[in-house]
Amino acid sequence: MITIALTKGRIEKDTVKILTQAGFDMTFMADKGRNLIFVDPTQTLRFLLVKAPDVATYVEHGIADLGVVGSDVLYEHPGAYLEMLDLNIGLCKFSVASIPSYEPTDHKRKTIATKYPKVATDFFNSKGEDVEIVSIQGSVEIAPVIGLTDAIVDIVETGHTLAANGLLVFEDIMRVSSRLIANSASIKKNPDIMRLVDRLQAVVGNEEVAFNG
């Protein structure tokens, strides 16, 4: 049996669609209720529904053989896992946004509000800019509006929330998408895992294998 950790919600639903396209009968996932563990009738696949930051933890510790999680989580919290495929779902981007008067090219030391301090710090360091990071776990959009920070670094999908709060995107940092990650020991022990990966690759049409950690 192959155990796969998923984030409940859109990533889970899109992953189920990909697995269905790859030839797996996923109808047993249709009526989930409050359950967090699902096993298909053939005892081939088991799914764990967990919080996004915990997917990599389950994979790293070998509780799950595979996991599907956003590259935003992987970048912010790197670990010892194999990144197998870009599934091209959950598409969005990291961006720098602020009020219209923000000057991204001035030489003042900026304060940046974000839930992703590593992403923000690495981006500004790559430009040779020293910034002060203000960690905010809630809605970061109000930080530049009320003068707490100069700008924010956040995930942007449609941009509607930014626009509703009077913010503009000034710089795009990187593309974000959901990735299939694997436990390296599991791959060595169970050849069925790579056969599953090959079937998914045939659906999503790419091959991206890299080691993080």
Side-chain angles (χ1 to χ4, degrees):
M1 186 182 298
I2 299 172
T3 299
I4 304 174
L6 294 176
T7 302
K8 190 172 183 177
R10 189 180 67 176
I11 288 180
E12 167 222 330
K13 293 176 181 177
D14 288 345
T15 302
V16 166
K17 289 179 183 177
I18 292 173
L19 285 162
T20 300
Q21 292 170 355
F24 294 94
D25 182 358
M26 299 298 296
T27 53
F28 69 99
M29 292 282 285
D31 185 17
K32 293 183 295 298
R34 294 182 177 274
N35 295 331
L36 299 175
I37 301 175
F38 301 87
V39 179
D40 83 312
T42 67
Q43 302 287 303
T44 301
L45 301 176
R46 179 173 69 157
F47 293 89
L48 312 177
L49 298 185
V50 301
K51 294 286 188 180
D54 298 330
V55 170
T57 300
Y58 279 89
V59 172
E60 282 189 85
H61 288 270
I63 303 302
D65 304 301
L66 298 170
V68 178
V69 65
S71 57
D72 56 317
V73 176
L74 300 181
Y75 194 96
E76 190 66 28
H77 305 285
Y81 47 78
L82 291 172
E83 187 174 314
M84 307 302 294
L85 291 172
D86 183 340
L87 297 177
N88 292 310
I89 58 176
L91 299 177
C92 47
K93 60 185 178 180
F94 276 117
S95 298
V96 179
S98 189
I99 57 177
S101 60
Y102 175 67
E103 294 288 347
T105 58
D106 65 20
H107 297 292
K108 62 174 278 191
R109 187 171 190 263
K110 300 177 178 65
T111 55
I112 306 295
T114 187
K115 301 184 190 77
Y116 305 94
K118 184 178 187 303
V119 172
T121 300
D122 288 353
F123 173 68
F124 284 100
N125 283 350
S126 72
K127 302 201 305 172
E129 294 187 45
D130 179 30
V131 297
E132 178 187 350
I133 301 297
V134 177
S135 180
I136 292 182
Q137 297 307 309
S139 299
V140 298
E141 293 84 4
I142 65 170
V145 175
I146 62 176
L148 175 64
T149 62
D150 297 302
I152 66 172
V153 166
D154 202 12
I155 288 179
V156 177
E157 186 175 1
T158 64
H160 296 331
T161 302
L162 294 180
N165 287 279
L167 304 185
L168 303 174
V169 171
F170 283 85
E171 298 175 275
D172 289 330
I173 298 176
M174 70 175 76
R175 174 182 179 272
V176 174
S177 62
S178 296
R179 308 297 172 90
L180 180 71
I181 62 174
N183 177 279
S184 57
S186 294
I187 289 178
K188 294 174 184 176
K189 290 187 295 186
N190 188 351
D192 288 339
I193 293 175
M194 282 309 301
R195 285 191 276 270
L196 170 60
V197 172
D198 289 341
R199 290 172 68 172
L200 297 181
Q201 182 188 329
V203 174
V204 301
N206 73 87
E207 182 173 7
E208 181 179 325
V209 180
F211 185 69
N212 296 273

